[in-house]
Amino acid sequence: MAAPGRNQGLSGNGTIAILGAGSMGQLWAGYLPTGTVTFVPRREVTPETGKSALSYTFQPFEGPEVVVTVPYLLATEARPPLLMVTTKAGDTLDAVESNLHYVSPDTPIVLFQNGMGCQQAVAERWPQRPILAASTTEGANRPTPGCTVHAGKGETWVGPLTGSATTHLRQVVTALGTSGLTVHAAQDIHRRLWDKLIINAGINAFTAILDCPNGDILTDPFYLEHIDELCDEIAKVMKGDTEEALPSITIRERIEMIARKTARNTSSMRSDRQRGRPTEIDFINGYIVRRGHELGVDVPTNQMLTNRIKQLLP
Ligand SMILES: NC(=O)c1ccc[n+]([C@@H]2O[C@H](COP(=O)([O-])OP(=O)(O)OC[C@H]3O[C@@H](n4cnc5c(N)ncnc54)[C@H](OP(=O)(O)O)[C@@H]3O)[C@@H](O)[C@H]2O)c1
């Protein structure tokens, strides 16, 4: 275990900074060794102003719940050796931009967003910086204010998006691994992001439109009417985007295997709908629509799902 205030494998001895103190951010902060992590506050915190730490109850996947207290990153001391970005996809570009002033040009930045598009936007905006993406199947939620639950145990893959990120990959994986969560290096993170995108594109919008848990879509006429065309479109866009050809029947099997495995779960998009919050549709089916148009692939089913979600949540 790392000594407090130090992070194994990363240069410098500051604390890992987490930008986005929501479910994902609090999950990682709950597992990373005490004293090695800070949250980036929404507004500047100085010793004289503001609250200096965020406390919450954390229910790990196993074992008793604990109270976690994570200090806020002080503007005066900020020089984190690693920035973990756990904002929603739609907030990510702006959130990174407004925090880069204290992040050294050679500090790795790891993006944890679901879907696709915002990671590429960050990498394209700062191509010289070491930008990495993480694809995770860990699941966390906040059933009540001040309480974060590690609801589903999974794995995390991290890989480089920019050239200079490659040399940081091993240290980043080591540092994230001090959490005790399972973390792997993935040279081809783009493909890993696609693996997750397939599942999200096939489950999330249906559950939000039908307002049902994941497993219930499988017998719903609306899902059954559209799933084959949806998988066809995904297969064609994926092939153009990654050069990997996955038969649409395999895509459907993957979607349905996860929908069965997580049958009683509420997807993040359904949860966003229930709470009236913006969804990540633009980075899931909406991304497939944009890439489809760029690649000359017709994507009417992805477009229909995107439109339906936007009608529900303007
Ligand atoms: N939760 C999961 O199980 C899970 C699993 C896999 C992937 N993911 C992905 O991880 C990402 C985060 O998901 P989440 O569930 O953690 O969402 P979340 O609970 O909504 O957390 C996002 C956090 O980011 C904060 N934030 C937004 N803009 C900010 C800014 N400019 N400066 C500082 N903080 C800012 C938000 O603050 P406010 O609340 O004040 O807006 C919120 O606390 C999403 O892309 C999601 O798809 C989540």
PDB file of all heavy atoms in Angstrom, residues 19-25 40-42 85-89 91-92 94-96 98-99 112-115 136-142 196 268 277 280, ligand 1:
ATOM      1  N   LEU A  19     -11.330  14.843 -10.881  1.00  0.00           N
ATOM      2  CA  LEU A  19     -12.201  15.925 -11.358  1.00  0.00           C
ATOM      3  C   LEU A  19     -13.570  15.314 -11.650  1.00  0.00           C
ATOM      4  O   LEU A  19     -13.731  14.561 -12.608  1.00  0.00           O
ATOM      5  CB  LEU A  19     -11.586  16.540 -12.623  1.00  0.00           C
ATOM      6  CG  LEU A  19     -12.404  17.559 -13.407  1.00  0.00           C
ATOM      7  CD1 LEU A  19     -12.819  18.737 -12.544  1.00  0.00           C
ATOM      8  CD2 LEU A  19     -11.598  18.051 -14.614  1.00  0.00           C
ATOM      9  N   GLY A  20     -14.547  15.605 -10.794  1.00  0.00           N
ATOM     10  CA  GLY A  20     -15.888  15.006 -10.930  1.00  0.00           C
ATOM     11  C   GLY A  20     -16.162  14.133  -9.714  1.00  0.00           C
ATOM     12  O   GLY A  20     -15.935  12.922  -9.743  1.00  0.00           O
ATOM     13  N   ALA A  21     -16.633  14.772  -8.638  1.00  0.00           N
ATOM     14  CA  ALA A  21     -16.840  14.050  -7.368  1.00  0.00           C
ATOM     15  C   ALA A  21     -18.229  13.418  -7.325  1.00  0.00           C
ATOM     16  O   ALA A  21     -18.968  13.559  -6.353  1.00  0.00           O
ATOM     17  CB  ALA A  21     -16.633  14.993  -6.191  1.00  0.00           C
ATOM     18  N   GLY A  22     -18.594  12.706  -8.398  1.00  0.00           N
ATOM     19  CA  GLY A  22     -19.878  11.997  -8.436  1.00  0.00           C
ATOM     20  C   GLY A  22     -19.683  10.536  -8.097  1.00  0.00           C
ATOM     21  O   GLY A  22     -18.747  10.169  -7.377  1.00  0.00           O
ATOM     22  N   SER A  23     -20.539   9.666  -8.643  1.00  0.00           N
ATOM     23  CA  SER A  23     -20.502   8.245  -8.278  1.00  0.00           C
ATOM     24  C   SER A  23     -19.155   7.604  -8.622  1.00  0.00           C
ATOM     25  O   SER A  23     -18.550   6.924  -7.785  1.00  0.00           O
ATOM     26  CB  SER A  23     -21.618   7.496  -9.006  1.00  0.00           C
ATOM     27  OG  SER A  23     -22.864   8.067  -8.701  1.00  0.00           O
ATOM     28  N   MET A  24     -18.676   7.820  -9.872  1.00  0.00           N
ATOM     29  CA  MET A  24     -17.410   7.198 -10.298  1.00  0.00           C
ATOM     30  C   MET A  24     -16.248   7.756  -9.495  1.00  0.00           C
ATOM     31  O   MET A  24     -15.387   7.013  -9.008  1.00  0.00           O
ATOM     32  CB  MET A  24     -17.185   7.530 -11.767  1.00  0.00           C
ATOM     33  CG  MET A  24     -17.013   6.463 -12.782  1.00  0.00           C
ATOM     34  SD  MET A  24     -16.120   4.996 -12.438  1.00  0.00           S
ATOM     35  CE  MET A  24     -17.389   3.844 -12.093  1.00  0.00           C
ATOM     36  N   GLY A  25     -16.217   9.078  -9.361  1.00  0.00           N
ATOM     37  CA  GLY A  25     -15.126   9.722  -8.629  1.00  0.00           C
ATOM     38  C   GLY A  25     -15.085   9.247  -7.187  1.00  0.00           C
ATOM     39  O   GLY A  25     -14.025   8.938  -6.634  1.00  0.00           O
ATOM     40  N   VAL A  40     -11.111  17.699  -7.143  1.00  0.00           N
ATOM     41  CA  VAL A  40     -11.048  19.055  -7.681  1.00  0.00           C
ATOM     42  C   VAL A  40     -12.387  19.720  -7.359  1.00  0.00           C
ATOM     43  O   VAL A  40     -13.439  19.218  -7.755  1.00  0.00           O
ATOM     44  CB  VAL A  40     -10.830  19.033  -9.215  1.00  0.00           C
ATOM     45  CG1 VAL A  40     -10.836  20.448  -9.769  1.00  0.00           C
ATOM     46  CG2 VAL A  40      -9.538  18.301  -9.556  1.00  0.00           C
ATOM     47  N   PRO A  41     -12.358  20.834  -6.627  1.00  0.00           N
ATOM     48  CA  PRO A  41     -13.626  21.491  -6.292  1.00  0.00           C
ATOM     49  C   PRO A  41     -14.205  22.203  -7.508  1.00  0.00           C
ATOM     50  O   PRO A  41     -13.481  22.519  -8.450  1.00  0.00           O
ATOM     51  CB  PRO A  41     -13.218  22.487  -5.209  1.00  0.00           C
ATOM     52  CG  PRO A  41     -11.799  22.814  -5.532  1.00  0.00           C
ATOM     53  CD  PRO A  41     -11.194  21.574  -6.150  1.00  0.00           C
ATOM     54  N   ARG A  42     -15.507  22.429  -7.473  1.00  0.00           N
ATOM     55  CA  ARG A  42     -16.116  23.168  -8.578  1.00  0.00           C
ATOM     56  C   ARG A  42     -15.623  24.614  -8.614  1.00  0.00           C
ATOM     57  O   ARG A  42     -15.475  25.195  -9.662  1.00  0.00           O
ATOM     58  CB  ARG A  42     -17.633  23.136  -8.436  1.00  0.00           C
ATOM     59  CG  ARG A  42     -18.256  21.975  -9.216  1.00  0.00           C
ATOM     60  CD  ARG A  42     -19.684  22.331  -9.516  1.00  0.00           C
ATOM     61  NE  ARG A  42     -20.367  21.359 -10.330  1.00  0.00           N
ATOM     62  CZ  ARG A  42     -20.313  21.320 -11.649  1.00  0.00           C
ATOM     63  NH1 ARG A  42     -19.565  22.171 -12.311  1.00  0.00           N
ATOM     64  NH2 ARG A  42     -21.018  20.439 -12.306  1.00  0.00           N
ATOM     65  N   VAL A  85     -10.459  12.082 -14.680  1.00  0.00           N
ATOM     66  CA  VAL A  85     -11.625  12.905 -15.023  1.00  0.00           C
ATOM     67  C   VAL A  85     -12.867  12.017 -15.007  1.00  0.00           C
ATOM     68  O   VAL A  85     -13.007  11.120 -15.850  1.00  0.00           O
ATOM     69  CB  VAL A  85     -11.443  13.595 -16.386  1.00  0.00           C
ATOM     70  CG1 VAL A  85     -12.620  14.521 -16.667  1.00  0.00           C
ATOM     71  CG2 VAL A  85     -10.133  14.366 -16.429  1.00  0.00           C
ATOM     72  N   THR A  86     -13.742  12.258 -14.038  1.00  0.00           N
ATOM     73  CA  THR A  86     -14.925  11.413 -13.870  1.00  0.00           C
ATOM     74  C   THR A  86     -16.208  12.244 -13.965  1.00  0.00           C
ATOM     75  O   THR A  86     -17.174  11.996 -13.250  1.00  0.00           O
ATOM     76  CB  THR A  86     -14.858  10.649 -12.523  1.00  0.00           C
ATOM     77  OG1 THR A  86     -14.600  11.605 -11.486  1.00  0.00           O
ATOM     78  CG2 THR A  86     -13.761   9.610 -12.532  1.00  0.00           C
ATOM     79  N   THR A  87     -16.182  13.235 -14.830  1.00  0.00           N
ATOM     80  CA  THR A  87     -17.391  14.007 -15.127  1.00  0.00           C
ATOM     81  C   THR A  87     -18.210  13.231 -16.167  1.00  0.00           C
ATOM     82  O   THR A  87     -17.711  12.295 -16.798  1.00  0.00           O
ATOM     83  CB  THR A  87     -17.005  15.369 -15.731  1.00  0.00           C
ATOM     84  OG1 THR A  87     -16.044  15.125 -16.761  1.00  0.00           O
ATOM     85  CG2 THR A  87     -16.391  16.277 -14.696  1.00  0.00           C
ATOM     86  N   LYS A  88     -19.463  13.657 -16.374  1.00  0.00           N
ATOM     87  CA  LYS A  88     -20.256  13.089 -17.466  1.00  0.00           C
ATOM     88  C   LYS A  88     -19.645  13.522 -18.796  1.00  0.00           C
ATOM     89  O   LYS A  88     -18.980  14.575 -18.877  1.00  0.00           O
ATOM     90  CB  LYS A  88     -21.696  13.595 -17.378  1.00  0.00           C
ATOM     91  CG  LYS A  88     -22.453  13.058 -16.169  1.00  0.00           C
ATOM     92  CD  LYS A  88     -23.077  11.733 -16.498  1.00  0.00           C
ATOM     93  CE  LYS A  88     -24.242  11.446 -15.564  1.00  0.00           C
ATOM     94  NZ  LYS A  88     -24.850  10.149 -15.869  1.00  0.00           N
ATOM     95  N   ALA A  89     -19.929  12.746 -19.831  1.00  0.00           N
ATOM     96  CA  ALA A  89     -19.298  13.007 -21.130  1.00  0.00           C
ATOM     97  C   ALA A  89     -19.519  14.446 -21.605  1.00  0.00           C
ATOM     98  O   ALA A  89     -18.595  15.107 -22.084  1.00  0.00           O
ATOM     99  CB  ALA A  89     -19.835  12.009 -22.166  1.00  0.00           C
ATOM    100  N   ASP A  91     -19.891  17.138 -20.005  1.00  0.00           N
ATOM    101  CA  ASP A  91     -19.205  18.179 -19.209  1.00  0.00           C
ATOM    102  C   ASP A  91     -17.693  18.131 -19.367  1.00  0.00           C
ATOM    103  O   ASP A  91     -16.985  19.017 -18.878  1.00  0.00           O
ATOM    104  CB  ASP A  91     -19.515  17.974 -17.706  1.00  0.00           C
ATOM    105  CG  ASP A  91     -20.967  18.209 -17.365  1.00  0.00           C
ATOM    106  OD1 ASP A  91     -21.582  19.101 -17.986  1.00  0.00           O
ATOM    107  OD2 ASP A  91     -21.492  17.498 -16.487  1.00  0.00           O
ATOM    108  N   THR A  92     -17.187  17.070 -20.010  1.00  0.00           N
ATOM    109  CA  THR A  92     -15.767  16.755 -19.884  1.00  0.00           C
ATOM    110  C   THR A  92     -14.834  17.781 -20.524  1.00  0.00           C
ATOM    111  O   THR A  92     -13.871  18.229 -19.892  1.00  0.00           O
ATOM    112  CB  THR A  92     -15.514  15.336 -20.440  1.00  0.00           C
ATOM    113  OG1 THR A  92     -16.249  14.434 -19.616  1.00  0.00           O
ATOM    114  CG2 THR A  92     -14.054  14.968 -20.424  1.00  0.00           C
ATOM    115  N   ASP A  94     -15.175  20.976 -21.251  1.00  0.00           N
ATOM    116  CA  ASP A  94     -15.126  22.243 -20.503  1.00  0.00           C
ATOM    117  C   ASP A  94     -14.450  22.048 -19.155  1.00  0.00           C
ATOM    118  O   ASP A  94     -13.678  22.900 -18.704  1.00  0.00           O
ATOM    119  CB  ASP A  94     -16.547  22.775 -20.256  1.00  0.00           C
ATOM    120  CG  ASP A  94     -17.141  23.370 -21.521  1.00  0.00           C
ATOM    121  OD1 ASP A  94     -16.392  23.525 -22.511  1.00  0.00           O
ATOM    122  OD2 ASP A  94     -18.356  23.666 -21.519  1.00  0.00           O
ATOM    123  N   ALA A  95     -14.758  20.922 -18.497  1.00  0.00           N
ATOM    124  CA  ALA A  95     -14.182  20.685 -17.162  1.00  0.00           C
ATOM    125  C   ALA A  95     -12.664  20.560 -17.260  1.00  0.00           C
ATOM    126  O   ALA A  95     -11.935  21.127 -16.445  1.00  0.00           O
ATOM    127  CB  ALA A  95     -14.792  19.422 -16.542  1.00  0.00           C
ATOM    128  N   VAL A  96     -12.182  19.848 -18.274  1.00  0.00           N
ATOM    129  CA  VAL A  96     -10.717  19.710 -18.439  1.00  0.00           C
ATOM    130  C   VAL A  96     -10.121  21.082 -18.739  1.00  0.00           C
ATOM    131  O   VAL A  96      -9.144  21.505 -18.118  1.00  0.00           O
ATOM    132  CB  VAL A  96     -10.383  18.689 -19.550  1.00  0.00           C
ATOM    133  CG1 VAL A  96      -8.889  18.708 -19.871  1.00  0.00           C
ATOM    134  CG2 VAL A  96     -10.809  17.276 -19.138  1.00  0.00           C
ATOM    135  N   SER A  98     -11.063  24.064 -18.014  1.00  0.00           N
ATOM    136  CA  SER A  98     -10.981  25.049 -16.938  1.00  0.00           C
ATOM    137  C   SER A  98     -10.068  24.603 -15.800  1.00  0.00           C
ATOM    138  O   SER A  98      -9.890  25.345 -14.839  1.00  0.00           O
ATOM    139  CB  SER A  98     -12.382  25.413 -16.427  1.00  0.00           C
ATOM    140  OG  SER A  98     -13.120  24.266 -16.213  1.00  0.00           O
ATOM    141  N   ASN A  99      -9.485  23.412 -15.906  1.00  0.00           N
ATOM    142  CA  ASN A  99      -8.580  22.976 -14.840  1.00  0.00           C
ATOM    143  C   ASN A  99      -7.146  22.748 -15.294  1.00  0.00           C
ATOM    144  O   ASN A  99      -6.304  22.376 -14.485  1.00  0.00           O
ATOM    145  CB  ASN A  99      -9.124  21.692 -14.203  1.00  0.00           C
ATOM    146  CG  ASN A  99     -10.290  21.997 -13.274  1.00  0.00           C
ATOM    147  OD1 ASN A  99     -10.089  22.481 -12.170  1.00  0.00           O
ATOM    148  ND2 ASN A  99     -11.507  21.755 -13.738  1.00  0.00           N
ATOM    149  N   PHE A 112     -12.647   8.887 -17.892  1.00  0.00           N
ATOM    150  CA  PHE A 112     -13.426   7.706 -17.493  1.00  0.00           C
ATOM    151  C   PHE A 112     -14.830   7.659 -18.096  1.00  0.00           C
ATOM    152  O   PHE A 112     -15.661   6.871 -17.658  1.00  0.00           O
ATOM    153  CB  PHE A 112     -13.564   7.677 -15.952  1.00  0.00           C
ATOM    154  CG  PHE A 112     -12.353   7.118 -15.277  1.00  0.00           C
ATOM    155  CD1 PHE A 112     -11.223   7.899 -15.090  1.00  0.00           C
ATOM    156  CD2 PHE A 112     -12.328   5.806 -14.838  1.00  0.00           C
ATOM    157  CE1 PHE A 112     -10.087   7.379 -14.473  1.00  0.00           C
ATOM    158  CE2 PHE A 112     -11.206   5.275 -14.224  1.00  0.00           C
ATOM    159  CZ  PHE A 112     -10.086   6.062 -14.042  1.00  0.00           C
ATOM    160  N   GLN A 113     -15.108   8.484 -19.089  1.00  0.00           N
ATOM    161  CA  GLN A 113     -16.487   8.598 -19.568  1.00  0.00           C
ATOM    162  C   GLN A 113     -16.942   7.358 -20.342  1.00  0.00           C
ATOM    163  O   GLN A 113     -16.155   6.699 -21.008  1.00  0.00           O
ATOM    164  CB  GLN A 113     -16.632   9.831 -20.475  1.00  0.00           C
ATOM    165  CG  GLN A 113     -16.535  11.130 -19.732  1.00  0.00           C
ATOM    166  CD  GLN A 113     -15.190  11.349 -19.075  1.00  0.00           C
ATOM    167  OE1 GLN A 113     -14.157  11.047 -19.641  1.00  0.00           O
ATOM    168  NE2 GLN A 113     -15.207  11.847 -17.857  1.00  0.00           N
ATOM    169  N   ASN A 114     -18.229   7.093 -20.237  1.00  0.00           N
ATOM    170  CA  ASN A 114     -18.867   6.091 -21.093  1.00  0.00           C
ATOM    171  C   ASN A 114     -19.053   6.683 -22.477  1.00  0.00           C
ATOM    172  O   ASN A 114     -19.019   7.900 -22.652  1.00  0.00           O
ATOM    173  CB  ASN A 114     -20.259   5.749 -20.543  1.00  0.00           C
ATOM    174  CG  ASN A 114     -20.246   4.452 -19.774  1.00  0.00           C
ATOM    175  OD1 ASN A 114     -19.375   3.606 -19.949  1.00  0.00           O
ATOM    176  ND2 ASN A 114     -21.241   4.294 -18.919  1.00  0.00           N
ATOM    177  N   GLY A 115     -19.327   5.819 -23.426  1.00  0.00           N
ATOM    178  CA  GLY A 115     -19.628   6.304 -24.770  1.00  0.00           C
ATOM    179  C   GLY A 115     -18.361   6.726 -25.490  1.00  0.00           C
ATOM    180  O   GLY A 115     -17.244   6.359 -25.120  1.00  0.00           O
ATOM    181  N   THR A 136     -14.518   1.131 -18.064  1.00  0.00           N
ATOM    182  CA  THR A 136     -14.701   0.360 -16.836  1.00  0.00           C
ATOM    183  C   THR A 136     -16.071  -0.308 -16.775  1.00  0.00           C
ATOM    184  O   THR A 136     -17.062   0.262 -17.236  1.00  0.00           O
ATOM    185  CB  THR A 136     -14.490   1.240 -15.581  1.00  0.00           C
ATOM    186  OG1 THR A 136     -14.546   0.409 -14.421  1.00  0.00           O
ATOM    187  CG2 THR A 136     -15.527   2.347 -15.450  1.00  0.00           C
ATOM    188  N   THR A 137     -16.082  -1.497 -16.206  1.00  0.00           N
ATOM    189  CA  THR A 137     -17.366  -2.166 -15.957  1.00  0.00           C
ATOM    190  C   THR A 137     -17.694  -2.134 -14.460  1.00  0.00           C
ATOM    191  O   THR A 137     -18.606  -2.824 -14.022  1.00  0.00           O
ATOM    192  CB  THR A 137     -17.351  -3.621 -16.473  1.00  0.00           C
ATOM    193  OG1 THR A 137     -16.225  -4.303 -15.905  1.00  0.00           O
ATOM    194  CG2 THR A 137     -17.249  -3.671 -17.990  1.00  0.00           C
ATOM    195  N   GLU A 138     -16.939  -1.335 -13.684  1.00  0.00           N
ATOM    196  CA  GLU A 138     -17.335  -1.117 -12.289  1.00  0.00           C
ATOM    197  C   GLU A 138     -18.642  -0.327 -12.294  1.00  0.00           C
ATOM    198  O   GLU A 138     -18.873   0.486 -13.193  1.00  0.00           O
ATOM    199  CB  GLU A 138     -16.274  -0.294 -11.522  1.00  0.00           C
ATOM    200  CG  GLU A 138     -14.887  -0.884 -11.480  1.00  0.00           C
ATOM    201  CD  GLU A 138     -14.780  -2.129 -10.599  1.00  0.00           C
ATOM    202  OE1 GLU A 138     -15.760  -2.523  -9.954  1.00  0.00           O
ATOM    203  OE2 GLU A 138     -13.697  -2.734 -10.580  1.00  0.00           O
ATOM    204  N   GLY A 139     -19.462  -0.557 -11.303  1.00  0.00           N
ATOM    205  CA  GLY A 139     -20.719   0.184 -11.218  1.00  0.00           C
ATOM    206  C   GLY A 139     -20.869   0.847  -9.859  1.00  0.00           C
ATOM    207  O   GLY A 139     -20.613   0.224  -8.822  1.00  0.00           O
ATOM    208  N   ALA A 140     -21.224   2.134  -9.868  1.00  0.00           N
ATOM    209  CA  ALA A 140     -21.425   2.864  -8.608  1.00  0.00           C
ATOM    210  C   ALA A 140     -22.653   3.744  -8.736  1.00  0.00           C
ATOM    211  O   ALA A 140     -22.966   4.218  -9.827  1.00  0.00           O
ATOM    212  CB  ALA A 140     -20.206   3.718  -8.299  1.00  0.00           C
ATOM    213  N   ASN A 141     -23.328   3.945  -7.625  1.00  0.00           N
ATOM    214  CA  ASN A 141     -24.440   4.889  -7.634  1.00  0.00           C
ATOM    215  C   ASN A 141     -24.564   5.564  -6.273  1.00  0.00           C
ATOM    216  O   ASN A 141     -23.904   5.170  -5.315  1.00  0.00           O
ATOM    217  CB  ASN A 141     -25.750   4.208  -8.068  1.00  0.00           C
ATOM    218  CG  ASN A 141     -26.093   3.027  -7.182  1.00  0.00           C
ATOM    219  OD1 ASN A 141     -26.116   3.156  -5.966  1.00  0.00           O
ATOM    220  ND2 ASN A 141     -26.322   1.880  -7.798  1.00  0.00           N
ATOM    221  N   ARG A 142     -25.431   6.582  -6.249  1.00  0.00           N
ATOM    222  CA  ARG A 142     -25.636   7.328  -5.008  1.00  0.00           C
ATOM    223  C   ARG A 142     -27.128   7.306  -4.692  1.00  0.00           C
ATOM    224  O   ARG A 142     -27.866   8.191  -5.126  1.00  0.00           O
ATOM    225  CB  ARG A 142     -25.116   8.757  -5.161  1.00  0.00           C
ATOM    226  CG  ARG A 142     -23.587   8.817  -5.198  1.00  0.00           C
ATOM    227  CD  ARG A 142     -23.062  10.206  -5.414  1.00  0.00           C
ATOM    228  NE  ARG A 142     -23.336  10.699  -6.758  1.00  0.00           N
ATOM    229  CZ  ARG A 142     -23.248  11.961  -7.122  1.00  0.00           C
ATOM    230  NH1 ARG A 142     -22.915  12.870  -6.240  1.00  0.00           N
ATOM    231  NH2 ARG A 142     -23.508  12.318  -8.366  1.00  0.00           N
ATOM    232  N   LYS A 196     -17.779  -1.413 -25.088  1.00  0.00           N
ATOM    233  CA  LYS A 196     -18.731  -0.883 -24.112  1.00  0.00           C
ATOM    234  C   LYS A 196     -19.822  -0.069 -24.813  1.00  0.00           C
ATOM    235  O   LYS A 196     -20.993  -0.116 -24.428  1.00  0.00           O
ATOM    236  CB  LYS A 196     -17.962  -0.016 -23.095  1.00  0.00           C
ATOM    237  CG  LYS A 196     -18.784   0.503 -21.937  1.00  0.00           C
ATOM    238  CD  LYS A 196     -18.535  -0.244 -20.653  1.00  0.00           C
ATOM    239  CE  LYS A 196     -19.545   0.065 -19.565  1.00  0.00           C
ATOM    240  NZ  LYS A 196     -19.196   1.238 -18.762  1.00  0.00           N
ATOM    241  N   SER A 268     -27.834   3.974 -16.482  1.00  0.00           N
ATOM    242  CA  SER A 268     -27.579   5.377 -16.130  1.00  0.00           C
ATOM    243  C   SER A 268     -28.526   6.306 -16.893  1.00  0.00           C
ATOM    244  O   SER A 268     -28.961   7.330 -16.380  1.00  0.00           O
ATOM    245  CB  SER A 268     -26.128   5.742 -16.426  1.00  0.00           C
ATOM    246  OG  SER A 268     -25.832   5.456 -17.775  1.00  0.00           O
ATOM    247  N   ARG A 277     -32.117  14.703 -15.438  1.00  0.00           N
ATOM    248  CA  ARG A 277     -30.773  15.224 -15.724  1.00  0.00           C
ATOM    249  C   ARG A 277     -30.393  14.953 -17.176  1.00  0.00           C
ATOM    250  O   ARG A 277     -30.929  14.029 -17.806  1.00  0.00           O
ATOM    251  CB  ARG A 277     -29.750  14.530 -14.821  1.00  0.00           C
ATOM    252  CG  ARG A 277     -29.885  14.894 -13.358  1.00  0.00           C
ATOM    253  CD  ARG A 277     -28.756  14.293 -12.549  1.00  0.00           C
ATOM    254  NE  ARG A 277     -28.514  12.901 -12.902  1.00  0.00           N
ATOM    255  CZ  ARG A 277     -27.935  12.018 -12.109  1.00  0.00           C
ATOM    256  NH1 ARG A 277     -27.547  12.393 -10.911  1.00  0.00           N
ATOM    257  NH2 ARG A 277     -27.748  10.773 -12.480  1.00  0.00           N
ATOM    258  N   GLU A 280     -26.369  10.971 -21.603  1.00  0.00           N
ATOM    259  CA  GLU A 280     -25.151  10.895 -22.426  1.00  0.00           C
ATOM    260  C   GLU A 280     -25.491  10.381 -23.834  1.00  0.00           C
ATOM    261  O   GLU A 280     -24.622   9.845 -24.517  1.00  0.00           O
ATOM    262  CB  GLU A 280     -24.116  10.012 -21.734  1.00  0.00           C
ATOM    263  CG  GLU A 280     -23.644  10.608 -20.414  1.00  0.00           C
ATOM    264  CD  GLU A 280     -22.474   9.879 -19.771  1.00  0.00           C
ATOM    265  OE1 GLU A 280     -22.594   8.667 -19.519  1.00  0.00           O
ATOM    266  OE2 GLU A 280     -21.443  10.523 -19.501  1.00  0.00           O
TER     267      GLU A 280
HETATM  268  N1  LIG B   1     -21.477   5.433 -12.223  1.00  0.00           N
HETATM  269  C1  LIG B   1     -21.091   4.353 -12.863  1.00  0.00           C
HETATM  270  O1  LIG B   1     -21.333   3.216 -12.429  1.00  0.00           O
HETATM  271  C2  LIG B   1     -20.299   4.455 -14.144  1.00  0.00           C
HETATM  272  C3  LIG B   1     -19.782   3.284 -14.719  1.00  0.00           C
HETATM  273  C4  LIG B   1     -19.023   3.368 -15.889  1.00  0.00           C
HETATM  274  C5  LIG B   1     -18.808   4.598 -16.469  1.00  0.00           C
HETATM  275  N2  LIG B   1     -19.344   5.720 -15.902  1.00  0.00           N
HETATM  276  C6  LIG B   1     -19.117   6.984 -16.571  1.00  0.00           C
HETATM  277  O2  LIG B   1     -18.395   7.865 -15.703  1.00  0.00           O
HETATM  278  C7  LIG B   1     -18.799   9.211 -15.946  1.00  0.00           C
HETATM  279  C8  LIG B   1     -19.257   9.830 -14.621  1.00  0.00           C
HETATM  280  O3  LIG B   1     -20.422   9.124 -14.208  1.00  0.00           O
HETATM  281  P1  LIG B   1     -21.024   9.302 -12.761  1.00  0.00           P
HETATM  282  O4  LIG B   1     -22.047   8.259 -12.604  1.00  0.00           O
HETATM  283  O5  LIG B   1     -19.948   9.429 -11.744  1.00  0.00           O
HETATM  284  O6  LIG B   1     -21.748  10.734 -12.929  1.00  0.00           O
HETATM  285  P2  LIG B   1     -22.155  11.749 -11.787  1.00  0.00           P
HETATM  286  O7  LIG B   1     -22.504  10.981 -10.554  1.00  0.00           O
HETATM  287  O8  LIG B   1     -23.134  12.687 -12.378  1.00  0.00           O
HETATM  288  O9  LIG B   1     -20.786  12.515 -11.478  1.00  0.00           O
HETATM  289  C9  LIG B   1     -20.253  13.506 -12.298  1.00  0.00           C
HETATM  290  C10 LIG B   1     -19.675  14.562 -11.383  1.00  0.00           C
HETATM  291  O10 LIG B   1     -18.935  15.500 -12.134  1.00  0.00           O
HETATM  292  C11 LIG B   1     -19.149  16.775 -11.529  1.00  0.00           C
HETATM  293  N3  LIG B   1     -18.755  17.840 -12.455  1.00  0.00           N
HETATM  294  C12 LIG B   1     -19.308  18.163 -13.655  1.00  0.00           C
HETATM  295  N4  LIG B   1     -18.658  19.216 -14.198  1.00  0.00           N
HETATM  296  C13 LIG B   1     -17.683  19.565 -13.325  1.00  0.00           C
HETATM  297  C14 LIG B   1     -16.681  20.579 -13.305  1.00  0.00           C
HETATM  298  N5  LIG B   1     -16.566  21.439 -14.300  1.00  0.00           N
HETATM  299  N6  LIG B   1     -15.844  20.655 -12.228  1.00  0.00           N
HETATM  300  C15 LIG B   1     -15.954  19.790 -11.201  1.00  0.00           C
HETATM  301  N7  LIG B   1     -16.893  18.800 -11.159  1.00  0.00           N
HETATM  302  C16 LIG B   1     -17.740  18.690 -12.207  1.00  0.00           C
HETATM  303  C17 LIG B   1     -20.623  16.752 -11.193  1.00  0.00           C
HETATM  304  O11 LIG B   1     -20.944  17.739 -10.283  1.00  0.00           O
HETATM  305  P3  LIG B   1     -22.472  18.253 -10.156  1.00  0.00           P
HETATM  306  O12 LIG B   1     -23.253  17.105  -9.609  1.00  0.00           O
HETATM  307  O13 LIG B   1     -22.321  19.406  -9.250  1.00  0.00           O
HETATM  308  O14 LIG B   1     -22.911  18.603 -11.549  1.00  0.00           O
HETATM  309  C18 LIG B   1     -20.750  15.339 -10.610  1.00  0.00           C
HETATM  310  O15 LIG B   1     -20.406  15.345  -9.228  1.00  0.00           O
HETATM  311  C19 LIG B   1     -19.914   9.142 -16.996  1.00  0.00           C
HETATM  312  O16 LIG B   1     -19.399   9.352 -18.285  1.00  0.00           O
HETATM  313  C20 LIG B   1     -20.414   7.719 -16.879  1.00  0.00           C
HETATM  314  O17 LIG B   1     -21.008   7.226 -18.080  1.00  0.00           O
HETATM  315  C21 LIG B   1     -20.066   5.686 -14.753  1.00  0.00           C
END
